[in-house]
Amino acid sequence: MLYNLDKAKEAIRKLTYSIIVEGQMDCIAVYSAGFHNVIASSGTAFSETQVRLLARFGKDIVVNFDPDTAGAAATDRSLEMLVAEEFNIRILRLDGGYDPDLFIRRNGAKAYAEALRGRQSTSITWSIAR
């Protein structure tokens, strides 16, 4: 199950990309801040089945997992699956080492939007040429 996919799928189609975060609280915070194309894996569990399901709605994704060790490991595991399904991937690491929930609470929705647009030095784009 991808948390919030039932609410996010139309926004993902309209905006042509999804944001995936780690856990329900991050998803709720991002969604509440106005980013309705957000979904969450259950903790760090993101499976091939979930990747294939998500591919039905669009192939562009921003991976915004927590900056801790578990989040970094989840990002690494996710990249392999997303590349296999030919997603266009952007990894977003938020300034201050914050998770999305804390980042939005401290900096606001506008700062998160700027981070999504790549205006923060710690956001990077990652893809594999085939």
Side-chain angles (χ1 to χ4, degrees):
M1 179 178 109
L2 289 169
Y3 182 77
N4 200 49
L5 182 59
D6 60 323
K7 293 181 182 86
K9 62 186 173 185
E10 291 307 316
I12 292 168
R13 285 183 178 131
K14 181 179 177 183
L15 298 170
T16 70
Y17 76 99
S18 58
I19 304 166
I20 186 163
V21 296
E22 182 185 337
Q24 296 175 357
M25 293 308 296
D26 286 335
C27 188
I28 291 167
V30 174
Y31 190 90
S32 295
F35 305 93
H36 295 163
N37 56 329
V38 64
I39 56 168
S41 61
S42 182
T44 59
F46 189 44
S47 70
E48 290 179 21
T49 303
Q50 292 170 328
V51 171
R52 285 191 298 274
L53 174 62
L54 189 56
R56 294 182 195 171
F57 303 101
K59 292 279 192 143
D60 293 332
I61 190 165
V62 175
V63 178
N64 188 198
F65 287 151
D66 293 356
D68 59 14
T69 304
T75 299
D76 290 343
R77 285 190 308 273
S78 300
L79 291 177
E80 184 176 322
M81 291 183 288
L82 291 166
V83 167
E85 286 294 321
E86 299 181 350
F87 272 79
N88 300 310
I89 305 159
R90 194 163 146 247
I91 301 169
L92 177 60
R93 293 189 179 96
L94 300 169
D95 283 346
Y98 296 137
D99 67 11
D101 177 35
L102 185 56
F103 183 87
I104 290 170
R105 283 191 282 135
R106 297 235 172 138
N107 300 297
K110 184 178 177 183
Y112 191 78
E114 289 174 1
L116 283 172
R117 284 192 296 269
R119 293 191 180 161
Q120 294 205 351
S121 61
T122 54
S123 73
I124 60 171
T125 301
W126 188 88
S127 63
I128 290 182
R130 293 198 180 265

